[in-house]
Amino acid sequence: MKRVSVTLSIAIALFTFTGAAPSQAANSVTMSLTQTPGAGDPIVTIFGTTKPAKAGYKVTIQILLDGKWKSTRFITKTAKIGTWKVVATATGQEGKYTYRAAVNSGKKVLYSKAKTITIKPAPSISENTAAVIEKIGPGGRIHGADISRWQHPNDQTIDFVKMHKAGLRFVMIKASDTRDDADALAVKYLAMDRHAAQAAGIYTGFYHYAVMPNSSSTQTYIDDAQAQAQKVIWRLAALGGYTERDLPYALDLENNCVVGTTANCKKYASKKLITLWAKTFLATVKEKTGRTPILYSYPSFLEGAMVRDDELRQYPLWLAQYGIDPKDPLAQPGIKPGGCFVHSWTTANCSSTWTVWQYTSCGIAPKYGVPGSRLDLNIFRGEVDAFLNLIKGTWIPEPADQMPKNELSQIVLKALKSTTADKSTTALVDVFRPDGKPVVTGTVRFYPSPLNPISPAPKQVVERASSGSWKLSIKGIPAGTWQGEVGFVDATGTHAQSRVPVSLVIAPAPEVTQTPTPTATPKPSPTKKPVVDGCKNQIKN
């Protein structure tokens, strides 16, 4: 019999986690295999955990061939919580194949239980015909969902075939974020989800989560919006541009806090500047890609955080409002008891000209093939022809549209302030691209001179003011004169690092007179707050 073999090639990337060498060996390892349809070949995800949980264990995937275990080129490392993952495409023949994970902790090698998977041929997609779109959602509308990394708990994959069978015909995928850390988590699943969803007959769209700059400058808001639009264009270019199965990119605009957290915000962006930012971002994306992007928000934000603007009305509105049952043909978002929300999309009869309605965040996830318990669900307003109008016009990026690699950057130290050892040294830093525009990704930090090391290492906190602009706070530098550099670094490899030398003169901290500590009066234990049901009064479809 002719020997059957299989090869796996990288679909997106090997998610390699680095960390310090573990201090103790693992004593158990688990492994799971899942398969989802891809645009060409099936996508196979191999993932597992080690116990005890340590970062840095080397994980090698092995395959059983001719009765012998052979190591593949798929090697990764465990994360801090002991998890690991490899994503690949199956380019071999259809058949059954057996794999296991070999984990080397430095002291011994452990093996997971062997798992067998049947490689199945991927469903074919014709570029000449559209996927079937049925109006089988609540209220006889086209039904959809939106997903992000939260729909991949423990790196589990989504069964888009099951999602299609459950009646969903479009899915909006988080594809980018203003913040670099959240952006990296978004891109981790992007290509895999897009390919698998389209292969299952589901149309895909994308969205970008926006964070406003901490500034009162009109020009800063324009520059920041253009920089974030550039990130979106690069991300879309990396996917190969728009196809006839892609809905437009959406701007997720729901956060106007620029200092602090949403729950404890100390400073908000002005309504005028947020509106300017949104118009600039949307216009930039539209001009480049040839498709009109979508704006996602909720009614109270549109009314309270933005000003009414005729230009905004040209963009389709994806409106989030829960607690209203879309099965009611008269139900719709954008109306409040006893009145209406007044914003750019409000009509004369108090309704809103919404295009997509996110009607719940409590969809029954397993029903749609999604790991976890909750899923955002949406319905499309209008007929099938109106839905297909959103996907008219493809955009194929040119080489110049791709995200650059190691592009030169220029760092500018705007201000540097240091006083005494008990206070933070602060630096205001701008970093520019060769054309004078702000860099899109990256961060800054202080690098002490190796000839004049600081021990223990000072604590550094970076606050993003806008794209390419940061406030760096350094605390824990002892009294004295210290040489070093303030530098820009980009973990994505888009922009090259750049540094500027600095000299810090730190005065001794003032002496503190010790006073007797009064005896503390015992405080009663705080009453535990009741657990809040986040899905109370929401639709659970």
Side-chain angles (χ1 to χ4, degrees):
M1 180 180 290
K2 185 178 179 180
R3 188 178 70 181
V4 177
S5 63
V6 65
T7 60
L8 297 178
S9 63
I10 297 175
I12 307 172
L14 294 182
F15 298 103
T16 302
F17 302 93
T18 58
S23 58
Q24 62 184 95
N27 54 39
S28 68
V29 56
T30 66
M31 186 191 78
S32 297
L33 289 168
T34 62
Q35 180 180 184
T36 55
D41 298 297
I43 298 171
V44 177
T45 303
I46 309 174
F47 58 95
T49 59
T50 59
K51 292 184 179 180
K54 290 284 184 180
Y57 292 144
K58 181 181 177 182
V59 182
T60 303
I61 305 302
Q62 298 183 336
I63 184 172
L64 186 62
L65 292 176
D66 299 327
K68 296 181 180 180
W69 288 105
K70 297 183 179 180
S71 295
T72 71
R73 61 188 179 90
F74 294 101
I75 300 172
T76 186
K77 290 184 179 181
T78 57
K80 291 182 180 178
I81 57 175
T83 59
W84 56 270
K85 175 185 173 184
V86 167
V87 179
T89 55
T91 61
Q93 303 177 47
E94 180 179 1
K96 291 185 178 181
Y97 304 96
T98 303
Y99 295 91
R100 72 179 182 183
V103 177
N104 188 336
S105 64
K107 296 183 179 180
K108 60 180 179 179
V109 178
L110 286 177
Y111 300 97
S112 69
K113 290 183 178 180
K115 295 290 182 69
T116 299
I117 189 169
T118 300
I119 301 299
K120 302 175 182 178
S124 61
I125 298 179
S126 171
E127 295 297 333
N128 299 320
T129 60
V132 176
I133 304 173
E134 304 101 333
K135 296 172 62 179
I136 53 178
R141 302 180 179 98
I142 300 170
H143 208 191
D146 57 274
I147 59 174
S148 66
R149 66 183 179 95
W150 300 110
Q151 278 64 58
H152 292 277
N154 299 317
D155 281 341
Q156 296 180 69
T157 55
I158 295 173
D159 186 346
F160 288 100
V161 174
K162 184 175 182 179
M163 181 182 287
H164 185 273
K165 290 180 179 178
L168 299 192
R169 293 298 177 264
F170 70 94
V171 61
M172 303 296 290
I173 305 169
K174 182 175 182 180
S176 52
D177 194 297
T178 300
R179 304 156 297 181
D180 284 356
D181 53 350
D183 188 67
L185 292 170
V187 76
K188 183 176 180 180
Y189 303 102
L190 172 59
M192 175 177 69
D193 285 345
R194 183 206 196 196
H195 292 162
Q198 291 187 2
I202 299 172
Y203 287 83
T204 58
F206 318 101
Y207 70 92
H208 173 85
Y209 183 85
V211 178
M212 297 294 102
N214 179 14
S215 174
S216 58
S217 165
T218 296
Q219 189 59 49
T220 296
Y221 267 72
I222 293 173
D223 291 344
D224 185 76
Q226 290 175 338
Q228 292 309 304
Q230 181 64 72
K231 178 183 281 190
V232 163
I233 293 164
W234 283 341
R235 187 60 40 79
L236 190 57
L239 293 171
Y242 281 131
T243 71
E244 294 178 353
R245 298 182 183 276
D246 288 320
L247 295 167
Y249 227 108
L251 167 62
D252 182 348
L253 187 55
E254 55 180 294
N255 184 3
N256 59 343
C257 183
V258 295
V259 177
T261 63
T262 303
N264 184 25
C265 188
K266 299 177 181 178
K267 182 182 177 182
Y268 294 94
S270 74
K271 298 170 66 173
K272 182 179 179 181
L273 288 175
I274 291 177
T275 305
L276 172 64
W277 193 101
K279 292 195 299 180
T280 303
F281 177 97
L282 294 166
T284 304
V285 173
K286 180 179 180 179
E287 180 182 5
K288 182 61 182 179
T289 64
R291 283 199 190 177
T292 302
I294 299 168
L295 187 139
Y296 167 93
S297 195
Y298 52 94
S300 59
F301 186 91
L302 296 176
E303 179 183 65
M306 302 179 71
V307 297
R308 298 183 71 182
D309 190 283
D310 291 341
E311 184 181 332
L312 281 177
R313 199 175 296 117
Q314 68 175 292
Y315 299 102
L317 177 62
W318 177 10
L319 199 57
Q321 190 172 8
Y322 309 147
I324 305 172
D325 196 336
K327 293 179 182 178
D328 180 355
L330 300 180
Q332 62 174 303
I335 300 177
K336 56 186 174 182
C340 62
F341 293 96
V342 179
H343 50 71
S344 298
W345 290 266
T346 304
T347 65
N349 65 357
C350 211
S351 63
S352 298
T353 55
W354 58 274
T355 300
V356 179
W357 173 16
Q358 186 186 77
Y359 68 89
T360 185
S361 65
C362 295
I364 305 170
K367 174 181 175 181
Y368 303 98
V370 176
S373 59
R374 296 174 57 172
L375 176 67
D376 293 345
L377 294 176
N378 305 268
I379 54 175
F380 177 80
R381 175 181 186 168
E383 300 299 323
V384 172
D385 286 346
F387 181 88
L388 293 175
N389 281 337
L390 290 178
I391 63 174
K392 285 185 176 179
T394 59
W395 176 62
I396 301 175
E398 299 177 357
D401 297 317
Q402 300 292 339
M403 180 177 283
K405 294 182 179 179
N406 212 33
E407 179 186 72
L408 291 177
S409 66
Q410 179 183 2
I411 187 170
V412 175
L413 184 62
K414 295 192 299 182
L416 181 65
K417 180 181 179 182
S418 57
T419 54
T420 55
D422 60 323
K423 296 182 179 180
S424 295
T425 293
T426 59
L428 301 182
V429 186
D430 285 347
V431 185
F432 299 97
R433 301 178 62 193
D435 60 4
K437 296 180 180 178
V439 292
V440 179
T441 53
T443 188
V444 295
R445 64 179 292 107
F446 170 65
Y447 298 90
S449 169
L451 302 177
N452 195 14
I454 302 174
S455 182
K459 181 180 179 181
Q460 303 191 43
V461 177
V462 180
E463 298 177 29
R464 175 187 179 274
S466 65
S467 293
S469 183
W470 296 270
K471 176 183 177 181
L472 172 64
S473 299
I474 315 159
K475 191 169 186 179
I477 303 178
T481 300
W482 305 93
Q483 307 300 322
E485 296 176 311
V486 171
F488 165 73
V489 62
D490 184 3
T492 71
T494 304
H495 309 290
Q497 68 174 359
S498 54
R499 298 188 181 187
V500 59
V502 293
S503 179
L504 306 179
V505 179
I506 310 296
E511 295 184 4
V512 179
T513 304
Q514 297 290 337
T515 57
T517 304
T519 303
T521 303
K523 296 182 179 179
S525 300
T527 303
K528 289 186 177 180
K529 295 183 179 180
V531 178
V532 178
D533 180 6
C535 288
K536 185 178 180 180
N537 299 325
Q538 284 209 47
I539 308 300
K540 301 179 179 66
N541 278 351

